[in-house]
Amino acid sequence: MDFQKLAEAVVEGNVKKVKGLTEKLLSEGIRPDIILNEGLLKGMQKVSDRYKEKDFYIPEVLLSSRAMQAGFHIIKPLIEDNSTSALPHKVVIGTVAGDLHDIGKNLVSLMLKSRGFHVIDLGIDVPPEDFVEAVKKHQPDILAMSSLLTTTLAIIPETIRLLKKEKYRDKVKIMVGGAPVTKDYARAVGSDGYAHDAINAVVVALDLVKS
Ligand code: B1M
């Protein structure tokens, strides 16, 4: 099974193999979003599990991330080209201040683009002031914040407070996610939506722009 081989190549951190298998699957007519979910993401999930079990350490994780990104870069333009851009909706997205994790945020961004959202990505380590400035400047339908560290979770309510202070809270829907974020936390801090993964993020975003 090539999906399994691709996931294994991500786990091995084998850039060459990941590129080769991604291209092979594409040449067989497999849809890029399926390659992403069934191969690259499955591999990254295994890496996360092995890291949790202390079977993998940061250097291995970084090698796997690099291999995953190599496949991701091949399919990214295809997913973006396929996007209908039929939705007039805008999303400003970023990883909160103090947090440098961007693999999950990039996937959420890509999946949103693939469904036609116009995504403005502020990158990593984004302070509340920059989120608020971006909301003022781009007037998005959704502000999407990703946090992977419990130590940076508080940036989410801080940003919401600043939006309120600047009288912009009711002009934008807020969606949050990332490993330590839960539905209860999302509700407690006053966000409008929570998604546990990139696929679900699209469902939640579509729901938010409807309401
Ligand atoms: Co770090 N790290 N890391 N790390 N890292 C975690 C997050 C950790 C859980 C590992 C652990 O200890 N078990 C832990 C956080 C503990 C905590 O606070 N609860 C941790 C730590 C502690 C750290 C450092 C502090 C380590 C250190 O230096 N001592 C340090 C912090 C640096 C910083 O940010 N200031 C650090 C550094 C790093 C690397 C740089 C080495 C690397 C990041 C590389 C990069 O992102 N460019 C890294 C990695 C890779 C991980 C793990 C192993 C994997 C994260 C990942 O990319 N997963 C992670 C362990 C784990 O999660 N089990 C860990 C794959 C990705 C597809 O999943 O990011 O969860 P994820 O995204 C998902 C969903 O969460 C969701 O959709 C995504 C796709 O399905 N989602 C959203 C994410 N954002 C969303 C936003 C949404 C909706 C859904 O709406 C807005």
Side-chain angles (χ1 to χ4, degrees):
M1 280 292 264
D2 280 340
F3 287 132
Q4 219 167 316
K5 279 190 200 155
L6 180 55
E8 270 317 309
V10 169
V11 176
E12 287 164 18
N14 189 330
V15 170
K16 205 169 152 204
K17 218 165 161 187
V18 167
K19 281 186 177 169
L21 285 165
T22 304
E23 272 155 6
K24 180 169 182 277
L25 286 164
L26 281 173
S27 72
E28 286 165 2
I30 311 284
R31 272 184 17 217
D33 57 321
I34 296 178
I35 299 173
L36 176 67
N37 289 317
E38 298 302 319
L40 299 172
L41 273 187
K42 288 259 161 78
M44 218 42 221
Q45 188 52 52
K46 284 187 188 171
V47 173
S48 295
D49 294 345
R50 288 177 75 167
Y51 185 81
K52 247 186 255 167
E53 291 154 10
K54 298 205 183 333
D55 184 28
F56 261 27
Y57 292 94
I58 296 289
E60 286 102 334
V61 171
L62 285 179
L63 285 177
S64 293
S65 312
R66 202 175 54 135
M68 198 278 252
Q69 304 265 10
F72 181 70
H73 284 306
I74 296 173
I75 60 174
K76 189 173 172 224
L78 303 173
I79 291 184
E80 284 173 351
D81 282 355
N82 261 347
S83 76
T84 56
S85 279
L87 296 170
H89 305 299
K90 242 189 250 175
V91 178
V92 162
I93 192 167
T95 300
V96 301
D99 190 342
L100 309 177
H101 295 85
D102 66 355
I103 298 170
K105 184 263 298 164
N106 291 346
L107 289 170
V108 171
S109 170
L110 183 67
M111 293 312 287
L112 289 171
K113 281 183 191 165
S114 78
R115 287 301 297 268
F117 282 89
H118 176 57
V119 180
I120 298 140
D121 191 339
L122 304 181
I124 52 174
D125 196 15
V126 182
E129 296 75 14
D130 290 8
F131 276 124
V132 173
E133 270 317 301
V135 168
K136 288 181 183 172
K137 182 173 167 197
H138 301 289
Q139 310 202 340
D141 301 273
I142 300 173
L143 171 63
M145 288 182 272
S146 175
S147 174
L148 265 286
L149 298 171
T150 36
T151 47
T152 58
L153 270 180
I155 300 294
I156 294 174
E158 229 181 273
T159 306
I160 297 176
R161 270 196 297 276
L162 191 58
L163 275 171
K164 277 186 189 152
K165 190 172 161 227
E166 299 287 320
K167 313 231 177 308
Y168 270 82
R169 174 63 188 97
D170 55 356
K171 294 186 170 60
V172 66
K173 300 278 185 188
I174 295 174
M175 176 166 86
V176 296
V181 183
T182 62
K183 201 172 189 168
D184 286 346
Y185 182 82
R187 199 178 301 124
V189 296
S191 65
D192 304 299
Y194 157 78
H196 64 270
D197 64 21
I199 311 250
N200 189 240
V202 174
V203 176
V204 172
L206 286 170
D207 209 42
L208 287 177
V209 294
K210 248 195 296 165
S211 57

